[in-house]
PDB file of all heavy atoms in Angstrom:
ATOM      1  N   MET A 971      19.322  -4.479 -17.666  1.00  0.00           N
ATOM      2  CA  MET A 971      18.431  -5.631 -17.768  1.00  0.00           C
ATOM      3  C   MET A 971      18.810  -6.568 -18.915  1.00  0.00           C
ATOM      4  O   MET A 971      18.857  -7.800 -18.752  1.00  0.00           O
ATOM      5  CB  MET A 971      16.983  -5.156 -17.937  1.00  0.00           C
ATOM      6  CG  MET A 971      15.964  -6.278 -17.900  1.00  0.00           C
ATOM      7  SD  MET A 971      14.274  -5.665 -17.840  1.00  0.00           S
ATOM      8  CE  MET A 971      14.157  -4.817 -19.422  1.00  0.00           C
ATOM      9  N   LEU A 972      19.093  -5.995 -20.088  1.00  0.00           N
ATOM     10  CA  LEU A 972      19.380  -6.835 -21.237  1.00  0.00           C
ATOM     11  C   LEU A 972      20.748  -7.487 -21.147  1.00  0.00           C
ATOM     12  O   LEU A 972      20.973  -8.566 -21.704  1.00  0.00           O
ATOM     13  CB  LEU A 972      19.248  -6.022 -22.523  1.00  0.00           C
ATOM     14  CG  LEU A 972      17.842  -5.453 -22.779  1.00  0.00           C
ATOM     15  CD1 LEU A 972      17.812  -4.666 -24.079  1.00  0.00           C
ATOM     16  CD2 LEU A 972      16.791  -6.562 -22.810  1.00  0.00           C
ATOM     17  N   ASP A 973      21.685  -6.856 -20.429  1.00  0.00           N
ATOM     18  CA  ASP A 973      23.005  -7.448 -20.239  1.00  0.00           C
ATOM     19  C   ASP A 973      22.985  -8.552 -19.186  1.00  0.00           C
ATOM     20  O   ASP A 973      23.628  -9.591 -19.349  1.00  0.00           O
ATOM     21  CB  ASP A 973      24.026  -6.383 -19.826  1.00  0.00           C
ATOM     22  CG  ASP A 973      24.443  -5.493 -20.979  1.00  0.00           C
ATOM     23  OD1 ASP A 973      24.164  -5.862 -22.136  1.00  0.00           O
ATOM     24  OD2 ASP A 973      25.033  -4.426 -20.727  1.00  0.00           O
ATOM     25  N   GLU A 974      22.247  -8.340 -18.115  1.00  0.00           N
ATOM     26  CA  GLU A 974      22.330  -9.241 -16.974  1.00  0.00           C
ATOM     27  C   GLU A 974      21.192 -10.251 -16.890  1.00  0.00           C
ATOM     28  O   GLU A 974      21.285 -11.237 -16.138  1.00  0.00           O
ATOM     29  CB  GLU A 974      22.387  -8.414 -15.683  1.00  0.00           C
ATOM     30  CG  GLU A 974      23.601  -7.487 -15.633  1.00  0.00           C
ATOM     31  CD  GLU A 974      23.711  -6.728 -14.327  1.00  0.00           C
ATOM     32  OE1 GLU A 974      23.016  -7.108 -13.353  1.00  0.00           O
ATOM     33  OE2 GLU A 974      24.490  -5.748 -14.283  1.00  0.00           O
ATOM     34  N   TYR A 975      20.132 -10.049 -17.658  1.00  0.00           N
ATOM     35  CA  TYR A 975      18.988 -10.970 -17.621  1.00  0.00           C
ATOM     36  C   TYR A 975      18.607 -11.368 -19.049  1.00  0.00           C
ATOM     37  O   TYR A 975      17.599 -10.909 -19.595  1.00  0.00           O
ATOM     38  CB  TYR A 975      17.797 -10.315 -16.909  1.00  0.00           C
ATOM     39  CG  TYR A 975      18.064  -9.988 -15.466  1.00  0.00           C
ATOM     40  CD1 TYR A 975      18.576  -8.738 -15.100  1.00  0.00           C
ATOM     41  CD2 TYR A 975      17.821 -10.926 -14.465  1.00  0.00           C
ATOM     42  CE1 TYR A 975      18.835  -8.441 -13.765  1.00  0.00           C
ATOM     43  CE2 TYR A 975      18.075 -10.626 -13.123  1.00  0.00           C
ATOM     44  CZ  TYR A 975      18.581  -9.388 -12.791  1.00  0.00           C
ATOM     45  OH  TYR A 975      18.831  -9.094 -11.475  1.00  0.00           O
ATOM     46  N   PRO A 976      19.414 -12.222 -19.679  1.00  0.00           N
ATOM     47  CA  PRO A 976      19.170 -12.581 -21.081  1.00  0.00           C
ATOM     48  C   PRO A 976      17.820 -13.245 -21.316  1.00  0.00           C
ATOM     49  O   PRO A 976      17.322 -13.241 -22.447  1.00  0.00           O
ATOM     50  CB  PRO A 976      20.325 -13.533 -21.413  1.00  0.00           C
ATOM     51  CG  PRO A 976      20.805 -14.036 -20.090  1.00  0.00           C
ATOM     52  CD  PRO A 976      20.594 -12.918 -19.129  1.00  0.00           C
ATOM     53  N   GLN A 977      17.198 -13.792 -20.265  1.00  0.00           N
ATOM     54  CA  GLN A 977      15.924 -14.473 -20.448  1.00  0.00           C
ATOM     55  C   GLN A 977      14.802 -13.536 -20.878  1.00  0.00           C
ATOM     56  O   GLN A 977      13.777 -13.991 -21.403  1.00  0.00           O
ATOM     57  CB  GLN A 977      15.521 -15.226 -19.172  1.00  0.00           C
ATOM     58  CG  GLN A 977      15.258 -14.358 -17.946  1.00  0.00           C
ATOM     59  CD  GLN A 977      16.479 -14.181 -17.073  1.00  0.00           C
ATOM     60  OE1 GLN A 977      17.585 -14.008 -17.576  1.00  0.00           O
ATOM     61  NE2 GLN A 977      16.279 -14.228 -15.757  1.00  0.00           N
ATOM     62  N   VAL A 978      14.979 -12.217 -20.669  1.00  0.00           N
ATOM     63  CA  VAL A 978      13.918 -11.293 -21.084  1.00  0.00           C
ATOM     64  C   VAL A 978      14.210 -10.640 -22.432  1.00  0.00           C
ATOM     65  O   VAL A 978      13.371  -9.887 -22.941  1.00  0.00           O
ATOM     66  CB  VAL A 978      13.666 -10.202 -20.017  1.00  0.00           C
ATOM     67  CG1 VAL A 978      13.277 -10.832 -18.690  1.00  0.00           C
ATOM     68  CG2 VAL A 978      14.873  -9.282 -19.854  1.00  0.00           C
ATOM     69  N   ARG A 979      15.361 -10.903 -23.024  1.00  0.00           N
ATOM     70  CA  ARG A 979      15.702 -10.248 -24.297  1.00  0.00           C
ATOM     71  C   ARG A 979      14.688 -10.501 -25.407  1.00  0.00           C
ATOM     72  O   ARG A 979      14.418  -9.594 -26.209  1.00  0.00           O
ATOM     73  CB  ARG A 979      17.089 -10.702 -24.754  1.00  0.00           C
ATOM     74  CG  ARG A 979      18.235 -10.123 -23.931  1.00  0.00           C
ATOM     75  CD  ARG A 979      19.561 -10.670 -24.412  1.00  0.00           C
ATOM     76  NE  ARG A 979      20.651 -10.366 -23.489  1.00  0.00           N
ATOM     77  CZ  ARG A 979      21.813 -10.975 -23.484  1.00  0.00           C
ATOM     78  NH1 ARG A 979      22.058 -11.929 -24.380  1.00  0.00           N
ATOM     79  NH2 ARG A 979      22.747 -10.648 -22.615  1.00  0.00           N
ATOM     80  N   PRO A 980      14.103 -11.715 -25.531  1.00  0.00           N
ATOM     81  CA  PRO A 980      13.139 -11.925 -26.620  1.00  0.00           C
ATOM     82  C   PRO A 980      11.940 -10.987 -26.591  1.00  0.00           C
ATOM     83  O   PRO A 980      11.269 -10.806 -27.611  1.00  0.00           O
ATOM     84  CB  PRO A 980      12.707 -13.383 -26.413  1.00  0.00           C
ATOM     85  CG  PRO A 980      13.839 -14.027 -25.699  1.00  0.00           C
ATOM     86  CD  PRO A 980      14.368 -12.958 -24.785  1.00  0.00           C
ATOM     87  N   LEU A 981      11.666 -10.397 -25.428  1.00  0.00           N
ATOM     88  CA  LEU A 981      10.503  -9.518 -25.304  1.00  0.00           C
ATOM     89  C   LEU A 981      10.740  -8.129 -25.875  1.00  0.00           C
ATOM     90  O   LEU A 981       9.803  -7.344 -25.995  1.00  0.00           O
ATOM     91  CB  LEU A 981      10.108  -9.381 -23.833  1.00  0.00           C
ATOM     92  CG  LEU A 981       9.731 -10.681 -23.114  1.00  0.00           C
ATOM     93  CD1 LEU A 981       9.535 -10.420 -21.633  1.00  0.00           C
ATOM     94  CD2 LEU A 981       8.476 -11.288 -23.721  1.00  0.00           C
ATOM     95  N   PHE A 982      11.993  -7.832 -26.251  1.00  0.00           N
ATOM     96  CA  PHE A 982      12.332  -6.475 -26.666  1.00  0.00           C
ATOM     97  C   PHE A 982      12.893  -6.466 -28.074  1.00  0.00           C
ATOM     98  O   PHE A 982      13.758  -7.267 -28.428  1.00  0.00           O
ATOM     99  CB  PHE A 982      13.337  -5.862 -25.690  1.00  0.00           C
ATOM    100  CG  PHE A 982      12.801  -5.746 -24.294  1.00  0.00           C
ATOM    101  CD1 PHE A 982      13.045  -6.745 -23.365  1.00  0.00           C
ATOM    102  CD2 PHE A 982      12.023  -4.672 -23.922  1.00  0.00           C
ATOM    103  CE1 PHE A 982      12.528  -6.663 -22.076  1.00  0.00           C
ATOM    104  CE2 PHE A 982      11.504  -4.579 -22.638  1.00  0.00           C
ATOM    105  CZ  PHE A 982      11.755  -5.580 -21.717  1.00  0.00           C
ATOM    106  N   ASN A 983      12.399  -5.539 -28.874  1.00  0.00           N
ATOM    107  CA  ASN A 983      12.843  -5.357 -30.251  1.00  0.00           C
ATOM    108  C   ASN A 983      14.135  -4.540 -30.235  1.00  0.00           C
ATOM    109  O   ASN A 983      14.134  -3.373 -29.838  1.00  0.00           O
ATOM    110  CB  ASN A 983      11.744  -4.631 -31.043  1.00  0.00           C
ATOM    111  CG  ASN A 983      12.058  -4.540 -32.515  1.00  0.00           C
ATOM    112  OD1 ASN A 983      13.213  -4.408 -32.921  1.00  0.00           O
ATOM    113  ND2 ASN A 983      11.020  -4.596 -33.338  1.00  0.00           N
ATOM    114  N   GLN A 984      15.227  -5.156 -30.668  1.00  0.00           N
ATOM    115  CA  GLN A 984      16.518  -4.471 -30.613  1.00  0.00           C
ATOM    116  C   GLN A 984      16.556  -3.243 -31.529  1.00  0.00           C
ATOM    117  O   GLN A 984      17.294  -2.289 -31.265  1.00  0.00           O
ATOM    118  CB  GLN A 984      17.641  -5.448 -30.976  1.00  0.00           C
ATOM    119  CG  GLN A 984      17.789  -6.602 -29.997  1.00  0.00           C
ATOM    120  CD  GLN A 984      17.943  -6.129 -28.564  1.00  0.00           C
ATOM    121  OE1 GLN A 984      18.816  -5.325 -28.245  1.00  0.00           O
ATOM    122  NE2 GLN A 984      17.089  -6.626 -27.667  1.00  0.00           N
ATOM    123  N   ALA A 985      15.781  -3.255 -32.606  1.00  0.00           N
ATOM    124  CA  ALA A 985      15.717  -2.064 -33.473  1.00  0.00           C
ATOM    125  C   ALA A 985      15.131  -0.882 -32.718  1.00  0.00           C
ATOM    126  O   ALA A 985      15.559   0.260 -32.884  1.00  0.00           O
ATOM    127  CB  ALA A 985      14.896  -2.362 -34.727  1.00  0.00           C
ATOM    128  N   HIS A 986      14.130  -1.150 -31.867  1.00  0.00           N
ATOM    129  CA  HIS A 986      13.544  -0.075 -31.056  1.00  0.00           C
ATOM    130  C   HIS A 986      14.521   0.410 -30.003  1.00  0.00           C
ATOM    131  O   HIS A 986      14.485   1.568 -29.599  1.00  0.00           O
ATOM    132  CB  HIS A 986      12.247  -0.555 -30.400  1.00  0.00           C
ATOM    133  CG  HIS A 986      11.143  -0.828 -31.362  1.00  0.00           C
ATOM    134  ND1 HIS A 986      10.101  -1.683 -31.088  1.00  0.00           N
ATOM    135  CD2 HIS A 986      10.926  -0.362 -32.629  1.00  0.00           C
ATOM    136  CE1 HIS A 986       9.290  -1.730 -32.133  1.00  0.00           C
ATOM    137  NE2 HIS A 986       9.771  -0.927 -33.075  1.00  0.00           N
ATOM    138  N   GLN A 987      15.385  -0.508 -29.529  1.00  0.00           N
ATOM    139  CA  GLN A 987      16.427  -0.087 -28.599  1.00  0.00           C
ATOM    140  C   GLN A 987      17.420   0.840 -29.291  1.00  0.00           C
ATOM    141  O   GLN A 987      17.777   1.897 -28.778  1.00  0.00           O
ATOM    142  CB  GLN A 987      17.176  -1.317 -28.065  1.00  0.00           C
ATOM    143  CG  GLN A 987      16.345  -2.212 -27.164  1.00  0.00           C
ATOM    144  CD  GLN A 987      15.975  -1.540 -25.864  1.00  0.00           C
ATOM    145  OE1 GLN A 987      16.799  -0.873 -25.254  1.00  0.00           O
ATOM    146  NE2 GLN A 987      14.743  -1.704 -25.443  1.00  0.00           N
ATOM    147  N   ALA A 988      17.869   0.431 -30.482  1.00  0.00           N
ATOM    148  CA  ALA A 988      18.889   1.206 -31.197  1.00  0.00           C
ATOM    149  C   ALA A 988      18.369   2.577 -31.604  1.00  0.00           C
ATOM    150  O   ALA A 988      19.103   3.573 -31.561  1.00  0.00           O
ATOM    151  CB  ALA A 988      19.360   0.425 -32.425  1.00  0.00           C
TER     152      ALA A 988
END
Side-chain angles (χ1 to χ4, degrees):
M971 186 171 64
L972 298 180
D973 285 346
E974 300 183 14
Y975 297 91
Q977 64 267 40
V978 301
R979 288 178 192 163
L981 300 173
F982 298 94
N983 186 326
Q984 296 306 306
H986 293 156
Q987 292 293 318

